[in-house]
Amino acid sequence: MLIAALLLGACGEGAGPPDTPDPELRQLLAGAGVTQLPPLPAQDPALVTLGRALMFDKELSGNRDVSCATCHDPAFHSSDGLSLSIGSGGVGAGATRELGTAREFVSRNAQDLFNRGYPEFTSMFWDGRVARRASSGFDTPAGVALPDGLSGPLAAQAMFPVFTRLEMRGQPGDHDRFGAPNELAALADDPAQVWAALMDRLLAIDGYVALFQAAYPGRPPDQLGFQDAANAIAAFEATGFTSSGSPFDDYLRGADDALSPAAKRGAVLFFGDAGCAQCHRGPHLSDQRFHNIGVPQLGPGFAPEEPQDFGRGGVTGAAGERYLFRTPPLRNVALTGPWMHDGAYTTLAAAVRHYRNAHDALGTYDASGLRPELRGTYLDDPATLDAMLRTLDPAVTAPLTLSDPQVEDLVAFLDALTDPAAADLDALVPTSVPSGLPVRE
């Protein structure tokens, strides 16, 4: 995903000293509230086994042609390698996936799944439209239709891709891979109906009946809902995608030699003069808030404002929150490009350079590095640019003095956030799923 507020503040010129005193860096880390990640509580193995099957099974999509793992593929480090994802009707996998006939891109970049099981993640999606309430329950697009019994925000999030037509549900009149009518797409836009129909599908498969019985012993099938499937998916994600083995994590555990000199220089910039830690702070390197840092608008937009994407403003309705998107966590960020909420930057260095002058970067964005189908979607009209600049975060309104060597040092630090185990997640992929549908094509 994406570095929603990567560099804020001001930096001096030059690459800095060849070596950085560790006491200085450790003091900066303490000031930014950066701590080691504690272990997560163990999940019920039967629930994880069910969630793993569901994560990779195309039975959850209307046309039986896409799974959760299509956009959160272990081969692409829990994302898909695309600026904007391609859901139902698409062909292929990962960065080479192609749009189906008369289909369009999903509105936003597929966020990675790393560490989303931690309690600090109280809201989900780039716009935070799924969020835990301070009292109890969740605020979501489903309103009162959201069932009780969800284990947390990660499970609540899992309820929605299966309902979204572009992502998994499909379009009215669609047929599945076997030529049968897509009954999920034919339903009205009522999430409760779609979730119930999905459970009818799953519980018609003997393998899923057995997995649900193991995960929810004593619960008869007619007392199971899709929230129980979502809890299982969340349990698998929390188990399979927890990541705390990067060189940076080793440094937090006290190993001064875990970071290279360049990475240490980059870290001192990041947590010091460059001001990145105004947004990327805390144990997950995210303030869990929303910012407009002038990311170029591209893609189909987000309903009902398409081709615009108002981000957080689309959820709250507040004009002052238009174009604000959540600050993503940064562990394994070097693995999960393209970057920004719409994948506008295809290299990490380009994402960093955006902050040299966010105002100018917005108006002079070069879309030539994007896939041909996306190049013409960049909204560079004066009205859009002016509207975006009205809510630009004050911290990025002034140009940064950021030299090329400093950019290289910052990228070296971001590279040091990579857990070697996150580079190869193939062991998470099952060889088969209960529906019998192909896991990979």
Side-chain angles (χ1 to χ4, degrees):
M1 318 115 254
L2 203 46
I3 310 179
L6 187 57
L7 290 171
L8 304 172
C11 332
E13 295 191 24
D19 294 296
T20 298
D22 291 295
E24 178 187 1
L25 177 52
R26 293 197 181 279
Q27 183 176 9
L28 289 169
L29 291 170
V34 180
T35 59
Q36 298 177 45
L37 294 179
L40 278 175
Q43 300 285 337
D44 178 355
L47 197 64
V48 173
T49 298
L50 170 60
R52 183 188 188 209
L54 292 166
M55 179 85 181
F56 291 91
D57 202 330
K58 297 178 175 67
E59 190 72 16
L60 270 66
S61 63
N63 293 335
R64 296 179 167 92
D65 64 344
V66 60
S67 70
C68 304
T70 300
C71 295
H72 299 286
D73 189 340
F76 289 86
H77 322 294
S78 80
S79 185
D80 58 11
L82 295 166
S83 290
L84 299 175
S85 294
I86 296 174
S88 179
V91 179
T96 60
R97 187 167 170 80
E98 298 289 340
L99 287 167
T101 303
R103 304 291 165 135
E104 62 182 20
F105 289 93
V106 174
S107 299
R108 294 173 183 155
N109 178 268
Q111 291 190 285
D112 68 90
L113 299 177
F114 294 113
N115 298 326
R116 294 310 196 275
Y118 280 88
E120 291 85 358
F121 290 93
T122 58
S123 67
M124 297 288 161
F125 294 111
W126 282 110
D127 56 13
R129 64 187 182 274
V130 168
R132 186 192 291 278
R133 295 195 193 108
S135 54
S136 64
F138 302 91
D139 291 314
T140 78
V144 296
L146 189 77
D148 294 332
L150 289 159
S151 61
L154 189 58
Q157 180 276 333
M159 300 290 288
F160 291 93
V162 297
F163 175 71
T164 305
R165 291 189 179 277
L166 271 179
E167 293 186 53
M168 297 183 72
R169 187 173 156 208
Q171 302 297 333
D174 276 0
H175 289 71
D176 71 13
R177 65 191 303 134
F178 304 113
N182 177 344
E183 83 281 14
L184 301 182
L187 292 170
D189 288 335
D190 178 345
Q193 288 189 38
V194 174
W195 294 328
L198 266 172
M199 287 305 292
D200 288 342
R201 271 193 182 191
L202 293 173
L203 295 175
I205 298 170
D206 290 342
Y208 275 119
V209 172
L211 288 175
F212 273 100
Q213 287 179 336
Y216 298 99
R219 293 266 299 276
D222 62 0
Q223 292 183 17
L224 292 166
F226 194 73
Q227 67 271 27
D228 300 306
N231 286 339
I233 293 170
F236 168 71
E237 291 174 336
T239 299
F241 295 100
T242 294
S243 177
S244 61
S246 71
F248 181 65
D249 289 300
D250 291 338
Y251 189 82
L252 292 178
R253 286 187 279 266
D256 285 349
D257 60 351
L259 297 180
S260 70
K264 289 183 181 180
R265 291 195 302 268
V268 168
L269 273 173
F270 188 96
F271 294 104
D273 290 343
C276 313
Q278 293 183 61
C279 295
H280 290 287
R281 60 187 297 108
H284 299 281
L285 302 181
S286 171
D287 62 3
Q288 308 292 342
R289 296 179 180 177
F290 304 87
H291 304 271
N292 172 10
I293 43 81
V295 175
Q297 290 262 305
L298 56 92
F302 199 90
E305 291 86 23
E306 65 267 37
Q308 298 280 336
D309 184 346
F310 285 171
R312 185 63 180 163
V315 176
T316 66
E321 295 190 79
R322 290 179 180 176
Y323 310 110
L324 277 65
F325 296 89
R326 68 175 303 124
T327 305
L330 294 184
R331 278 179 174 76
N332 302 310
V333 66
L335 299 175
T336 55
W339 294 270
M340 306 298 181
H341 74 271
D342 54 6
Y345 292 105
T346 56
T347 70
L348 198 51
V352 174
R353 285 194 292 268
H354 172 89
Y355 297 90
R356 283 172 159 168
N357 191 322
H359 181 288
D360 287 355
L362 177 61
T364 61
Y365 174 70
D366 181 3
S368 63
L370 300 173
R371 289 173 58 135
E373 310 99 308
L374 288 175
R375 292 172 191 165
T377 67
Y378 166 43
L379 299 181
D380 61 350
D381 59 285
T384 296
L385 300 182
D386 288 346
M388 292 184 68
L389 290 172
R390 281 198 291 272
T391 60
L392 193 68
D393 194 299
V396 298
T397 55
L400 287 172
T401 302
L402 188 65
S403 68
D404 287 341
Q406 286 176 319
V407 170
E408 293 172 3
D409 287 344
L410 283 164
V411 171
F413 168 65
L414 296 174
D415 283 337
L417 302 176
T418 301
D419 183 343
D424 183 4
L425 299 172
D426 199 55
L428 298 178
V429 183
T431 56
S432 63
V433 289
S435 70
L437 293 170
V439 174
R440 282 183 165 162
E441 295 180 277

